[in-house]
Amino acid sequence: RERHIAYYLALIKRDPANWHAIAAELPQIQRAWETLVDTDERVLEFVWAMSTFHRVQKRWREYIQWAQRGLVIARALKRRSAEGVLLNNLGLVYAELGDPQQALEYYQLALPIHDEEGDRAEQGCTLHNIGLIYNYTGESQRALEYFTRALTFEKTAGDQIGQAATLSSIG
């Protein structure tokens, strides 16, 4: 069991963007995932490693299951930063699924965690994502307020990619 888990985790981590290789081994990867104990920190490693595959393949429902399990582990291990990132990522998934209310709920849960952790880049990212939701729902003035707040955090963090994305959204 341990070798099986380690082998497939290493396979994914070797090249997370190689979704062809991951897809070919998906039944075994899922088997390794299922045999993980719910207190095992490797649950988070699997979630991080498989996130590119889930995103590229648009396997949103599967990602939700994996991220929810990762959230339980992050909370149990008091890994607040990981919890915030997972909450933000769940918001992204629900936005992709066309559920802006659910997305907004996850973003609102992530924001105070990023603030607590002092992670300016993640605060900027989450604020930007909230702005995107308000823009999507037609609340452009509210969206602009969140984009402006996001830009402040991104500048403080030196996040040039985030700043470029936010400036583009403001435009």
Side-chain angles (χ1 to χ4, degrees):
R1 180 183 156 278
E2 287 299 317
R3 285 193 318 240
H4 186 258
I5 291 168
Y7 176 83
Y8 286 101
L9 182 57
L11 177 112
I12 303 163
K13 289 171 104 176
R14 188 170 25 252
D15 189 1
N18 187 351
W19 61 269
H20 290 291
I22 294 170
E25 298 294 337
L26 195 55
Q28 289 299 322
I29 291 168
Q30 289 173 325
R31 177 72 182 125
W33 167 257
E34 291 165 3
T35 63
L36 285 167
V37 178
D38 279 341
T39 56
D40 194 330
E41 191 168 344
R42 289 178 297 182
V43 167
L44 288 172
E45 289 184 66
F46 267 88
V47 172
W48 303 139
M50 286 291 287
S51 64
T52 300
F53 176 79
H54 287 133
R55 188 178 68 252
V56 169
Q57 294 295 302
K58 299 195 180 310
R59 297 173 76 109
W60 304 129
R61 297 291 176 198
E62 190 172 308
Y63 178 79
I64 290 169
Q65 291 174 342
W66 286 50
Q68 290 289 355
R69 188 175 179 197
L71 207 48
V72 170
I73 298 297
R75 287 174 173 153
L77 297 174
K78 299 185 183 348
R79 302 229 351 240
R80 296 287 283 164
S81 181
E83 180 182 353
V85 170
L86 285 167
L87 289 166
N88 185 67
N89 290 352
L90 283 162
L92 288 168
V93 168
Y94 280 104
E96 283 290 326
L97 289 171
D99 188 344
Q101 189 57 44
Q102 188 74 26
L104 200 52
E105 288 176 26
Y106 277 104
Y107 293 143
Q108 296 293 359
L109 290 171
L111 204 51
I113 294 171
H114 298 317
D115 183 45
E116 173 188 310
E117 293 293 303
D119 192 334
R120 310 298 268 174
E122 286 295 333
Q123 282 177 290
C125 177
T126 301
L127 287 165
H128 180 244
N129 291 340
I130 292 170
L132 290 172
I133 294 297
Y134 284 125
N135 193 51
Y136 173 78
T137 59
E139 297 180 62
S140 56
Q141 186 57 45
R142 199 161 186 194
L144 185 57
E145 291 169 14
Y146 277 92
F147 291 145
T148 304
R149 285 179 60 199
L151 195 56
T152 302
F153 284 101
E154 292 159 348
K155 284 180 180 177
T156 303
D159 179 5
Q160 292 181 335
I161 293 171
Q163 289 176 62
T166 299
L167 287 169
S168 178
S169 293
I170 290 171

